[in-house]
Amino acid sequence: MKLTPWKKIVKIAITTISIFIISIAFNPLGLQNAHAVLAQGDAITDPNAILRYALPIDNDIVRQIQGDIEKIAKDLRAKRWPLVAKRVKNAGFLLNLHQNDLVTSVPEELQPRAKELVSAMTEDVAKLQELIEKEDREQIYSIRAEILDNITELEQDMVTGFPFTVPEEYANLPQLLGRAKVEVQTSQGNLVIVVDGYSAPVTGGNFIDLVQRKFYDGLPFSRAEDFYVIQTGDPIGEEEGFIDPTTQEYRAIPFEVLVKGESEPIYGLTTEDLGLYLAQPVLPFNAYGAVALARPTTDPNGGSSQFFFFKFDNEVTPPGYNLMDGRFAVFGYVTEGAEVLDKLTAEDKIISMQVIEGQENLKTN
């Protein structure tokens, strides 16, 4: 439903007030100084695209192809057919010129599959060129999705090893050395979260460990702010986080954020604490369904089991540099079931959570 100008103003005002009201309790917004600008630039809002760019690979060719294919969606919406044709032509040129380079960029045992993926992508790009002449947007969107799925698989195969070592002081905490998928069954339906351990191994490892412990099963959503966030993970009883049965102590998770251009995450301090007000996290709050660790207002290292879904709305929380990036640790995104997330309220609950992919990437002591 398109908002009238008056309704849009009311919506923005309500959300802005909510941001600062919920910053005074143990919740996702412990903001103290709003130095960051609300929005700049043309940020990526597709969670799958963000996750592709977050993969620790260094291959300019596949990134250029990915960028061209991703960007045609915006051009299609605006019916900029010449620009769509230009981007697809460029992707086709790169695929034809660098087929062998793309195949040999993955480990030898994965190269037969890589050859299949590159061949399929090349054929699909050729199909796109034919469909552009017919201005068949529906089919173009469908083929584009297939190409991006193949690019995702190819890029995942390009990753070799884990890109850095988690600091020794956090070695006692679970670590996710790769990625994992979690299926969440709620009272409104199911959704899927992709947890990115490449960018947030400690935060993601803690989450996957708690999922496997069935810690979240049956827990209610403790806070729900329209157009903004919905939070869960508060255990029944006095505690506000996970008590490790081995140590009988509260498991505190350090603040963790990987900034673009850096080789490993920042630990212990927010980007605001460091004066990096325009730093861009690899996992930003640009996408509807970003999943982040909640924490006490005054302690960036006091988070434990509570987490929140960011219900991004580009009318009230536009993408780019915003009040959330670098202050809260995003560790994944909802990639399936966004419509379910939109329905959830404080009256709903998690029925169960299950790791459906990537269990082998969890390292525990």
Side-chain angles (χ1 to χ4, degrees), residues 219 234-241 306:
L219 290 187
D234 186 2
I236 305 301
E238 295 182 3
E239 298 295 341
E240 293 184 326
Q306 294 191 50

Side-chain angles (χ1 to χ4, degrees), residues 58-59 61 97-116 118 154 157-160:
D58 183 17
N59 189 302
I61 301 303
L97 185 64
H98 295 284
Q99 282 193 30
N100 188 60
D101 296 330
L102 291 170
V103 171
T104 56
S105 64
V106 306
E108 187 174 355
E109 66 272 16
L110 299 176
Q111 289 181 13
R113 175 57 180 163
K115 188 174 182 178
E116 292 176 4
V118 173
L154 181 64
D157 288 346
M158 289 179 180
V159 179
T160 54

Side-chain angles (χ1 to χ4, degrees), residues 246-320:
T246 303
T247 64
Q248 294 301 310
E249 294 181 355
Y250 179 93
R251 181 196 281 173
I253 302 302
F255 179 78
E256 178 182 50
V257 61
L258 179 61
V259 173
K260 289 182 180 179
E262 297 297 326
S263 59
E264 57 188 66
I266 295 168
Y267 287 95
L269 295 170
T270 67
T271 54
E272 182 180 32
D273 293 334
L274 294 170
L276 303 174
Y277 302 123
L278 298 183
Q280 299 180 59
V282 171
L283 302 181
F285 282 96
N286 292 343
Y288 185 94
V291 187
L293 188 69
R295 61 173 176 82
T297 303
T298 58
D299 185 4
N301 302 305
S304 182
S305 61
Q306 294 191 50
F307 70 95
F308 62 96
F309 297 97
F310 189 56
K311 300 174 75 171
F312 172 82
D313 185 322
N314 61 14
E315 290 182 328
V316 295
T317 47

Side-chain angles (χ1 to χ4, degrees), residues 72-97:
I72 65 174
K74 185 176 181 179
D75 299 328
L76 283 170
R77 289 193 294 272
K79 298 182 180 180
R80 294 192 287 256
W81 289 105
L83 191 50
V84 174
K86 181 179 179 181
R87 295 193 194 282
V88 171
K89 182 179 179 181
N90 186 56
F93 173 78
L94 291 172
L95 279 165
N96 283 299
L97 185 64

Side-chain angles (χ1 to χ4, degrees), residues 1-9 11 313-315:
M1 178 181 70
K2 188 171 180 61
L3 295 177
T4 64
W6 172 246
K7 286 184 178 179
K8 185 181 294 185
I9 290 170
K11 183 178 178 183
D313 185 322
N314 61 14
E315 290 182 328

